[in-house]
Amino acid sequence: NAGVTQTPKFRILKIGQSMTLQCTQDMNHNYMYWYRQDPGMGLKLIYYSVGAGITDKGEVPNGYNVSRSTTEDFPLRLELAAPSQTSVYFCASSPDGSEAFFGQGTRLTVV
Amino acid sequence: AQSVTQLDSQVPVFEEAPVELRCNYSSSVSVYLFWYVQYPNQGLQLLLKYLSGSTLVKSINGFEAEFNKSQTSFHLRKPSVHISDTAEYFCAVSDWKFQGAQKLVFGQGTRLTINP
C-alpha cells in the first residue's frame, strides 16, 4: 500500500542548480498535483494534471516545469533554483478530484 | 478562478470546549469542498468532504462541516475537542465542471491548539 511516494525527502541546492522532485502513485489515479507549503501561507498549487499527457498551471507555476508521460509519475522540475523556492513540496493524487491523497513531502532548501 | 479564505490563522481552545474553524470560498461554478488535517511533520489527510446531497457532513472523529451556498461558507465544528485534535486544518475547494473536477485550491490553514 505505497500510495503516493515522493523522493527525495530532503535536499539542499545551491542557487542556480537544477533538480527534479519525483512523485509516483500506484493507485491508478488520473489527477495529480504539486503544491508548495510555506509557513502561514497554506498550500499553493504549482501545477496539476488530469491525465497522462495533460498538464496545467496552478497558482504559482513560475520557475517550475512538469510532465506527465505516464499515469503513475508526475515529476516536478526546478530550473535555476532560487532562495524563494525554499519550501516543503507536496505531491498528491486523486481518482477524480473528489479526494486527494498526499505524499509525505520533500523539504527543499536553496542556499 | 476559485479561492479559499480561512478567517483565523490560529485558534487556541481548552480541552472539551467547542470549536469552530471558519472557511469561506469563492467560485463561479459548482464546487466540491474539503477539510484536511496536517499533524506535525506529516502530509495532509482528508478529514471530511462535501460533494453533493446533504449539506451537513461528518467525520469519524466527531468533526462536522456545513455547506452554506448562500454564504459561500464551509465552517468546521466540533462540540468537544481533545488534546489529540491539535493540528493544522486546511479548507480546500475544487471547481466542478461538466468535464469533471478542476484544480484543487487550499486556504492558508488554521492552527488549532488545545490546552489542558
Side-chain angles (χ1 to χ4, degrees):
Chain A
N1 295 338
V4 178
T5 303
Q6 292 183 236
T7 56
K9 288 186 170 51
F10 303 93
R11 183 71 186 268
I12 298 174
L13 276 184
K14 293 184 177 179
I15 294 172
Q17 287 185 321
S18 62
M19 77 164 293
T20 299
L21 280 66
Q22 301 291 346
C23 176
T24 187
Q25 52 96 3
D26 61 359
M27 297 174 282
N28 201 33
H29 287 171
N30 287 323
Y31 290 68
M32 295 189 76
Y33 312 87
W34 272 107
Y35 294 90
R36 59 177 289 171
Q37 183 178 26
D38 301 298
M41 301 296 289
L43 277 77
K44 295 295 185 183
L45 181 65
I46 304 172
Y47 273 94
Y48 70 106
S49 168
V50 298
I54 306 169
T55 62
D56 206 351
K57 295 178 180 179
E59 304 165 281
V60 291
N62 292 342
Y64 306 94
N65 277 299
V66 294
S67 60
R68 186 91 183 273
S69 56
T70 67
T71 299
E72 295 78 17
D73 301 307
F74 191 43
L76 178 71
R77 179 81 177 164
L78 279 71
E79 304 283 1
L80 298 174
S84 60
Q85 293 178 304
T86 293
S87 188
V88 180
Y89 292 84
F90 286 100
C91 179
S93 72
S94 174
D96 54 7
S98 62
E99 177 180 352
F101 296 80
F102 281 79
Q104 291 300 297
T106 295
R107 187 175 295 274
L108 176 67
T109 303
V110 182
V111 296
Chain B
Q2 74 269 47
S3 67
V4 180
T5 301
Q6 291 183 242
L7 297 164
D8 307 292
S9 59
Q10 297 187 61
V11 174
V13 296
F14 288 106
E15 195 173 16
E16 298 183 7
V19 69
E20 178 180 80
L21 307 184
R22 297 179 293 169
C23 172
N24 286 93
Y25 69 92
S26 66
S27 174
S28 59
V29 297
S30 299
V31 295
Y32 292 160
L33 292 160
F34 309 86
W35 277 99
Y36 283 82
V37 59
Q38 184 180 33
Y39 299 103
N41 298 315
Q42 294 188 26
L44 278 73
Q45 305 170 35
L46 181 70
L47 187 61
L48 46 76
K49 61 185 177 183
Y50 169 79
L51 304 182
S52 64
S54 173
T55 58
L56 182 66
V57 291
K58 299 183 179 184
S59 73
I60 59 173
N61 58 350
F63 283 94
E64 63 180 36
E66 186 157 21
F67 170 51
N68 187 319
K69 189 174 183 178
S70 63
Q71 298 187 7
T72 60
S73 68
F74 191 56
H75 301 332
L76 181 70
R77 302 183 181 95
K78 189 171 185 179
S80 176
V81 295
H82 303 283
I83 292 286
S84 59
D85 293 324
T86 295
E88 190 148 19
Y89 292 79
F90 293 92
C91 183
V93 62
S94 178
D95 283 352
W96 190 94
K97 300 178 181 178
F98 72 91
Q99 66 266 43
Q102 303 302 306
K103 56 187 177 183
L104 180 64
V105 175
F106 284 80
Q108 302 92 323
T110 298
R111 186 171 297 278
L112 177 63
T113 304
I114 313 299
N115 298 307

